[in-house]
Amino acid sequence: MDTDPGILCFQHCGPVNIFCFELPLQCPVCGAPLATVNFRLLPFRVPYPFVRATQHPCSIVIKPTTGDFLNDYFNSKDLHIGVTDSKGMVVEFDRGGLQCADAQLWKQCLVLDGAAGPWSDHWDGTLSNVAQQDCWTSERYNEADFNCYTFVLSFLRSLRYGRLSEAADNRTEFCEKFIIPRTTAAGKYISLFRKLRQSQNQCYVYKMQQSTLGAGSPVAITAR
């Protein structure tokens, strides 16, 4: 099932972006019928930042530990991180130990980065080797310091794949370079979606002089 709510954006009577799920009959700013006037900016669909993990092989993916990004996530909640193999199967480490994830639980996630096609055999081989280490058990799992993040960083260090592996030497550096930029951008979309859902007419008017659309939007800075 597609989780994209299909947010639209257009400009009509001034330098303001109007966001909606469906085009209204009248402009929410000036009240003019939209069917009989020209748009300053034709309606377009706002890019949806989330993906199905199964459609992104050889990638590092994140999602909220519980729930999904659009409806449940705030920066006070933890993220869960995993690795997809060359066939798009997610390998994750959690309280149940190392396992193949339920694809349905990864249908709304963010891709941090991944490897190009020629690297797929090396990616799978490294993932298999790291997975065979006997430390990834439910007994060893610790939410604070031996968790999903530990597993993914260990895999990336063994992979020796450019800046991904270089950043994996330091938990904070990896978070700053790969996690925060993705969640900050996604946070703007989440904020917009929630504003639209809460509005009475399902329209949100964004004045161009505002500094940022996502002020106060939910972003994540940790991954467990």
Side-chain angles (χ1 to χ4, degrees):
M1 184 179 70
D2 188 5
T3 60
D4 185 350
I7 297 177
L8 302 175
C9 176
F10 67 93
Q11 290 183 4
H12 172 243
C13 57
V16 295
N17 287 338
I18 302 170
F19 297 92
C20 55
F21 291 122
E22 295 182 1
L23 287 178
L25 297 177
Q26 296 178 319
C27 173
V29 177
C30 69
L34 292 181
T36 59
V37 295
N38 293 326
F39 290 95
R40 288 173 58 96
L41 175 65
L42 288 173
F44 67 92
R45 192 159 178 160
V46 178
Y48 184 64
F50 307 110
V51 301
R52 290 178 177 271
T54 55
Q55 296 175 338
H56 291 266
C58 298
S59 296
I60 306 300
V61 291
I62 59 172
K63 72 177 188 68
T65 301
T66 58
D68 61 40
F69 275 110
L70 286 181
N71 299 292
D72 308 299
Y73 188 68
F74 293 91
N75 61 357
S76 59
K77 292 191 174 182
D78 290 332
L79 288 170
H80 185 47
I81 189 168
V83 182
T84 62
D85 66 10
S86 63
K87 296 181 179 179
M89 180 181 67
V90 181
V91 180
E92 62 181 357
F93 178 55
D94 58 16
R95 296 180 186 277
L98 192 64
Q99 57 193 320
C100 296
D102 181 351
Q104 282 297 105
L105 299 179
W106 289 85
K107 64 182 181 181
Q108 190 188 104
C109 65
L110 292 171
V111 174
L112 301 186
D113 208 337
W119 274 75
S120 60
D121 288 343
H122 177 63
W123 184 284
D124 282 351
T126 303
L127 182 58
S128 177
N129 290 337
V130 174
Q132 290 175 15
Q133 297 172 5
D134 58 10
C135 57
W136 312 114
T137 63
S138 57
E139 292 77 16
R140 286 289 308 277
Y141 179 85
N142 182 282
E143 184 176 309
D145 55 24
F146 200 80
N147 48 36
C148 61
Y149 201 29
T150 311
F151 168 70
V152 171
L153 294 185
S154 178
F155 161 71
L156 289 176
R157 288 193 296 269
S158 298
L159 186 66
R160 299 185 181 277
Y161 184 75
R163 64 192 190 104
L164 256 179
S165 296
E166 292 173 3
D169 284 333
N170 184 286
R171 296 169 71 95
T172 301
E173 180 181 351
F174 186 87
C175 185
E176 291 175 346
K177 288 187 175 180
F178 291 97
I179 297 178
I180 291 178
R182 305 301 189 277
T183 53
T184 299
K188 296 179 180 180
Y189 190 95
I190 295 170
S191 179
L192 175 59
F193 170 78
R194 293 176 184 175
K195 283 181 170 66
L196 278 173
R197 188 174 58 182
Q198 293 166 4
S199 65
Q200 292 183 349
N201 60 358
Q202 292 199 324
C203 286
Y204 174 65
V205 178
Y206 167 52
K207 297 180 180 180
M208 304 302 287
Q209 65 267 25
Q210 293 175 355
S211 59
T212 60
L213 172 64
S217 59
V219 296
I221 59 173
T222 59
R224 291 183 178 177

